[in-house]
Amino acid sequence: MKTPSDKRPIGIFDSGVGGLTVLKEVIKKLPSENIIYLGDTARVPYGARSPEIIMKYSLECAQFLLSRGIKLLVVACNTSSSISLPGLAQDLPVPVVGVVEPGARAAVAKSRSKKIAVIGTETTIKSGSYKRAIKAIDYSIDVMGLACPLFVPLVEEGWIRGNIVSLTAQKYLSPLKKFGADVLILGCTHYPIIKRVIREVAETNLIDSAAETAKEVKCILEESKVLRLDNSKPEREFFVTDSPKKFIQIGEMFLGQKISNISGINVGDLK
Ligand code: DGL
């Protein structure tokens, strides 16, 4: 019997604009899917907030997307994935994909020296989420976590190449050489945008959690036979909790294409 087409959208949320790096990869892998993206721009950044607050915000974002009939939820934010994924996966009625486990799996597969480094926000690194995910696959691997909080504002300012970002990367990444990592995980939505600079400074293999996550989303939809098998143009809808104009301005750089069909919503509407 022919598998029916499932036109329910994929839901993706992030603390703001950064998750568009994940959306971009999902679009590459699944160009026919309808997608709803929610950026919680009123409450960004999540990266230095407490686990309790991140859990609360993540649940609110997830519920908003669920109320719009999604078939799968992608938690694009590394900080949210680090803190809220087990809880969301347990409580929600749809499959939930975070960015940590796919990134960790790809890093383990790539590493020969069994030394992996991960960079992310303060909360992501403090949570130890990548370390746990890597150790669950291979306990003998050494993991070094480095918080790089200034990368997010630099990218949001559009300072993605040149001296300032390069010197910042040199400062943050200097412990890498001594540690001897042969793989570095980009454990934050914003870091793929400055991949070139990070690669030049780190001189090691990079794992982009966004691309790995998109592969996992495709696998789950295929296995569950809920792909949209329709050739008509898919719908892409964006919601932000503040400043749609600013989101479009920076977002188009992240996504590499035009953003339309965007609505501003009140944070209060997420509850
Ligand atoms: N989206 C966040 C992450 O991937 C970075 C921005 C923020 O701190 O909210 O961790």
Side-chain angles (χ1 to χ4, degrees):
M1 208 175 68
K2 218 177 130 216
T3 314
S5 172
D6 190 332
K7 65 177 187 342
R8 286 175 301 158
I10 295 171
I12 303 182
F13 82 83
D14 178 52
S15 54
V17 80
L20 294 175
T21 54
V22 179
L23 172 64
K24 186 176 177 181
E25 296 298 329
V26 172
I27 291 175
K28 260 196 228 162
K29 288 267 170 324
L30 294 159
S32 307
E33 292 295 328
N34 293 326
I35 301 175
I36 304 182
Y37 181 97
L38 168 63
D40 191 6
T41 45
R43 301 188 291 193
V44 71
Y46 283 10
R49 292 189 192 275
S50 68
E52 294 71 31
I53 288 290
I54 292 165
M55 189 64 224
K56 177 178 179 288
Y57 291 177
S58 303
L59 194 58
E60 288 170 4
C61 291
Q63 266 156 359
F64 173 81
L65 291 168
L66 274 177
S67 74
R68 310 192 81 84
I70 57 169
K71 60 183 170 188
L72 178 143
L73 175 70
V74 181
V75 181
C77 178
N78 283 259
T79 308
S80 284
S81 293
S82 295
I83 302 297
S84 66
L85 202 78
L88 292 180
Q90 201 182 323
D91 294 347
L92 302 187
V94 295
V96 181
V97 182
V99 285
V100 172
E101 286 190 0
R105 265 201 302 275
V108 172
K110 186 100 191 157
S111 178
R112 294 288 157 263
S113 70
K114 296 209 168 205
K115 285 181 191 294
I116 297 176
V118 53
I119 51 176
T121 64
E122 266 170 39
T123 302
T124 295
I125 299 304
K126 243 195 236 155
S127 76
S129 59
Y130 275 97
K131 188 169 182 172
R132 265 195 311 281
I134 291 168
K135 292 262 182 200
I137 305 169
D138 183 344
Y139 197 76
S140 69
I141 294 181
D142 278 340
V143 185
M144 172 190 257
L146 294 170
C148 305
L150 286 179
F151 281 162
V152 168
L154 283 176
V155 170
E156 298 232 343
E157 259 325 287
W159 294 2
I160 58 173
R161 52 184 81 84
N163 282 347
I164 294 177
V165 64
S166 191
L167 288 172
T168 310
Q170 281 169 33
K171 176 87 181 154
Y172 279 142
L173 304 178
S174 64
L176 276 185
K177 293 260 156 62
K178 198 159 162 223
F179 178 64
D182 63 347
V183 174
L184 173 63
I185 304 176
L186 305 178
C188 174
T189 46
H190 290 57
Y191 301 173
I193 302 286
I194 50 168
K195 210 177 192 166
R196 261 196 20 213
V197 177
I198 294 175
R199 183 177 288 118
E200 266 167 34
V201 174
E203 292 177 322
T204 191
N205 298 301
L206 301 186
I207 295 293
D208 180 345
S209 290
E212 299 305 324
T213 301
K215 281 187 209 160
E216 170 134 344
V217 171
K218 185 170 182 199
C219 257
I220 294 178
L221 295 186
E222 271 169 4
E223 272 170 20
S224 327
K225 300 194 168 39
V226 291
L227 286 165
R228 177 176 180 263
L229 305 165
D230 190 329
N231 288 330
S232 63
K233 196 166 173 262
E235 279 168 32
R236 307 262 153 76
E237 234 184 321
F238 296 85
F239 292 92
V240 289
T241 50
D242 195 16
S243 315
K245 255 200 195 140
K246 188 161 177 230
F247 182 90
I248 292 172
Q249 216 176 17
I250 310 167
E252 291 183 346
M253 170 179 84
F254 274 70
L255 194 57
Q257 54 179 266
K258 286 259 163 261
I259 293 177
S260 51
N261 206 4
I262 182 165
S263 316
I265 51 169
N266 291 319
V267 169
D269 295 341
L270 294 179
K271 288 165 200 160

